[in-house]
Amino acid sequence: AQSVTQLDSQVPVFEEAPVELRCNYSSSVSVYLFWYVQYPNQGLQLLLKYLSGSTLVKGINGFEAEFNKSQTSFHLRKPSVHISDTAEYFCAVSEKRNDYKLSFGAGTTVTVRA
Amino acid sequence: DAGITQSPRYKITETGRQVTLMCHQTWSHSYMFWYRQDLGHGLRLIYYSAAADITDKGEVPDGYVVSRSKTENFPLTLESATRSQTSVYFCASRRAGSTYNEQFFGPGTRLTVL
């Protein structure tokens, strides 16, 4: 079975600074990888996904993530954050053979300060 | 054209009572899911359904019952609520397909069991 570890539970960052959220996964088979964002009092929405091909994936709102198979990582980055990026971010994985099941990490709370 | 809706959005109940959380989607998606979100755990899958009248257990099914008589509805019932079931519950749906298809999440139901 797959599992996900998000290495930072909280990340405070100043506006216009870069941010990186770290995610490691474990699985014995090929996987799909995802980052979801949850704004306060809302449901989750997909930021970006890695299915295959280029290891650098670009998503919405200026976010990107890099898949590193040897390190089993899928870190999320944004070069310059805005106050509106304050949210909780979840890394998730699904096995290609059972791609309807998502396993989520515990989440990283990003707080952007002026 | 609401997409995926959940009701109620907030619910307070007492230990031992039966509670039903409703989920409705307008996309005719085959798959539907129930997750619970708890601090430090991210989202954990309770039950999922691949189609009407087909349901299966997820990671944390104990104390919950689901049914799916119609494609668009997927109610979750807590037969005898316990304090440990205090949580935020998210419903999600996705269409069936040969490659990964995104899960779309509802706005959530915040349940408090006193």
Side-chain angles (χ1 to χ4, degrees), chain B residues 32-101:
Chain B
M32 295 187 75
F33 308 84
W34 274 107
Y35 294 91
R36 59 177 290 172
Q37 182 183 24
D38 303 291
L39 197 62
H41 290 280
L43 276 74
R44 292 180 289 176
L45 183 64
I46 304 171
Y47 270 95
Y48 67 97
S49 169
D53 297 322
I54 300 175
T55 62
D56 206 351
K57 295 178 180 180
E59 185 183 356
V60 288
D62 293 343
Y64 303 95
V65 174
V66 294
S67 62
R68 194 159 175 216
S69 58
K70 292 184 178 181
T71 299
E72 61 266 30
N73 296 324
F74 191 38
L76 175 74
T77 298
L78 288 66
E79 293 190 302
S80 178
T82 65
R83 288 199 180 98
S84 64
Q85 292 177 309
T86 292
S87 187
V88 181
Y89 291 85
F90 287 100
C91 179
S93 72
R94 60 160 277 186
R95 61 181 177 91
S98 59
T99 58
Y100 178 79
N101 290 299

Side-chain angles (χ1 to χ4, degrees), chain A residues 4-11 21-23 35-38 44 87-92 103-110, chain B residues 37-43:
Chain A
V4 178
T5 302
Q6 291 184 240
L7 299 167
D8 309 290
S9 60
Q10 300 202 25
V11 174
L21 309 184
R22 297 177 294 166
C23 172
W35 277 98
Y36 281 84
V37 60
Q38 183 182 27
L44 279 71
E88 189 155 20
Y89 294 80
F90 293 95
C91 183
S103 293
F104 287 85
T108 298
T109 301
V110 173
Chain B
Q37 182 183 24
D38 303 291
L39 197 62
H41 290 280
L43 276 74

Side-chain angles (χ1 to χ4, degrees), chain A residues 68-98:
Chain A
N68 187 318
K69 188 175 181 180
S70 63
Q71 296 187 3
T72 61
S73 68
F74 191 54
H75 300 334
L76 180 71
R77 302 184 183 95
K78 186 170 182 178
S80 176
V81 296
H82 303 291
I83 297 289
S84 59
D85 292 321
T86 294
E88 189 155 20
Y89 294 80
F90 293 95
C91 183
V93 63
S94 69
E95 295 181 347
K96 289 186 178 181
R97 62 184 180 183
N98 288 315

